[in-house]
Amino acid sequence: MLDRIRIVLIGTSHPGNIGAAARAMKTMGLSQLAVVAPRCDPRDGEAFARSSGAEDILEAMQQFETLEAAVTDCTLVVGASARSRTLPWPLCSPRELSASLPGELSGSDTGLALVFGREDVGLSNSELQRCHRHVHIPTSEHYSSLNLAAAVQVLAYECRQAWLTTTPVTSPEPFGVEWDNPLASHADTERLFEHLERTLINIGFHDPDNPRQLMARLRRLLLRSRMDSMELNILRGILTRIERHGDPNGNDHPR
Amino acid sequence: MLDRIRIVLIGTSHPGNIGAAARAMKTMGLSQLAVVAPRCDPRDGEAFARSSGAEDILEAMQQFETLEAAVTDCTLVVGASARSRTLPWPLCSPRELSASLPGELSGSDTGLALVFGREDVGLSNSELQRCHRHVHIPTSEHYSSLNLAAAVQVLAYECRQAWLTTTPVTSPEPFGVEWDNPLASHADTERLFEHLERTLINIGFHDPDNPRQLMARLRRLLLRSRMDSMELNILRGILTRIERHGDPNGNDHPR
């Protein structure tokens, strides 16, 4: 289970924090580290110094230009978020995340990405809106300045707790019942959102110059439901049909 | 409760670790820090640098010559221990410690000391034997090199969890966060499904004479997400637009 958990660090400024995150991961048995558009050399000497024996994780670390690319094959994307947002998003505590993991990661093609933002400004709204859920580490109301590696440590610890409590699971999460289709991948889900946005523009429902929160709300709605692959295909089929329907040259409704 | 918990660091070598421990404590609402026979200047500049805003904890920090002196007034002394000992001692997990705290700290003169050893060799047998219990943070069998501040972070987090569970929570159902719109009613939801089915028939996607599981799957998808009223209205708006879009007499796309 732990080998299906990827720690994704976005826009990290200090290589020492990447090294300390690698160390934190390794103490808890995690191994997959990805950095996205780091604002430093992620394999700087300081990273290796702070990793303190977790060099193997730094050496196997993957680097990506975008969050998209880093989580393409993941079925559950969870963003670590300190701030409460203007648009509320499904939120869980580290404990709740931990409790859900044995079920979430029981399927054969499942994968979790835990996404951490920049030291100074965290994750952007756009990044947060690519997540199924947010996880908030409950910090003091008077001082919430959790170091990046410390946040990784706490969530990695909760992941390990989940793994330790895993007895052979028959518990068929995430929906409390054995499901009939595999969950949709992140990449397929993003293609659906692109298709959806295109279609809404074409039919004149969505004005990209005045987007308000439309796409964010539709993302929130569909990400919350954890689409399976067949559901996703049905929605894509509907969108394709809508496009042809309104197109006088379409094949389905020639006129 | 959190003000009755003292973090005790014995024989620390690196002032940066003392500062990072102070930061970890403060994020979780702990304030009592004590150092015992430090092997460095515990108020070195590096300690303040790594404390990152938790200077108040460093300034109020107490210093003692012996563990004895540091825990005199505590009713429960728990040593953080990485190693298993030749002489077995009562041992708990961080979770078990957390679960016991509301009871342990309910009396008026109660106090907990959480004792952490040296970076290199941990706590001595003599120190461990001054503890009521040991707490072991479960680390990977392949790599147990938990940084001192990371160990403080994990146990401080568990202390805060204990405190949060004793504090009345305004249950933030159903998404773990206070939501911005009321959930859709059953009746409105059913009207949406009627509208959806009508639209899918109109655009030729759905054949009511050969329905297969289409509507059931769409129901399952949307019901699972617990639509709020604004999301439902957006979907109704999209359906209305789709109908007009394909209708040559529609108002939105006259042709």
Side-chain angles (χ1 to χ4, degrees), chain A residues 112-127:
Chain A
L112 164 68
L114 278 175
V115 185
F116 297 82
R118 298 152 194 83
E119 288 98 332
D120 45 357
V121 294
L123 294 170
S124 70
N125 282 335
S126 149
E127 288 157 355

Side-chain angles (χ1 to χ4, degrees), chain A residues 40-119:
Chain A
C40 64
D41 173 5
R43 290 194 180 84
D44 183 89
E46 180 67 10
F48 281 94
R50 290 284 297 282
S51 77
S52 187
E55 293 92 1
D56 53 333
I57 292 184
L58 290 180
E59 276 152 15
M61 173 173 68
Q62 291 191 285
Q63 184 165 343
F64 300 93
E65 285 307 302
T66 63
L67 171 58
E68 281 303 305
V71 302
T72 299
D73 54 338
C74 293
T75 50
L76 178 63
V77 180
V78 177
S81 170
R83 293 173 286 174
S84 66
R85 303 288 152 175
T86 45
L87 181 63
W89 211 263
L91 181 71
C92 64
S93 68
R95 278 280 206 283
E96 290 164 340
L97 176 67
S98 177
S100 74
L101 290 187
E104 289 285 358
L105 296 176
S106 62
S108 60
D109 288 322
T110 53
L112 164 68
L114 278 175
V115 185
F116 297 82
R118 298 152 194 83
E119 288 98 332

Side-chain angles (χ1 to χ4, degrees), chain A residues 238-252:
Chain A
I238 292 174
L239 292 173
T240 299
R241 186 62 61 115
I242 291 169
E243 289 173 325
R244 289 184 188 165
H245 180 59
D247 174 7
N249 301 319
N251 295 322
D252 291 292

Side-chain angles (χ1 to χ4, degrees), chain B residues 48-151:
Chain B
F48 281 94
R50 290 284 297 282
S51 77
S52 186
E55 293 92 0
D56 52 335
I57 292 185
L58 289 180
E59 277 152 12
M61 173 174 67
Q62 292 191 282
Q63 185 165 341
F64 300 93
E65 285 308 303
T66 63
L67 171 59
E68 281 304 307
V71 301
T72 300
D73 54 339
C74 294
T75 51
L76 177 63
V77 179
V78 177
S81 170
R83 293 173 286 172
S84 65
R85 301 288 151 178
T86 47
L87 180 64
W89 211 261
L91 180 71
C92 65
S93 70
R95 280 278 206 284
E96 290 164 339
L97 176 66
S98 177
S100 74
L101 290 187
E104 289 286 356
L105 296 176
S106 61
S108 61
D109 289 321
T110 54
L112 165 68
L114 278 175
V115 184
F116 296 82
R118 299 152 192 86
E119 289 98 331
D120 45 359
V121 294
L123 295 169
S124 69
N125 282 337
S126 148
E127 287 156 356
L128 283 164
Q129 289 170 12
R130 278 175 168 65
C131 298
H132 295 98
R133 307 180 208 160
H134 302 158
V135 57
H136 174 62
I137 300 175
T139 50
S140 165
E141 61 272 36
H142 306 298
Y143 183 81
S144 61
S145 172
L146 204 63
N147 173 264
L148 175 60

Side-chain angles (χ1 to χ4, degrees), chain B residues 16-29:
Chain B
N17 285 336
I18 295 175
R23 179 178 182 176
M25 289 170 58
K26 191 165 180 177
T27 59
M28 297 296 149

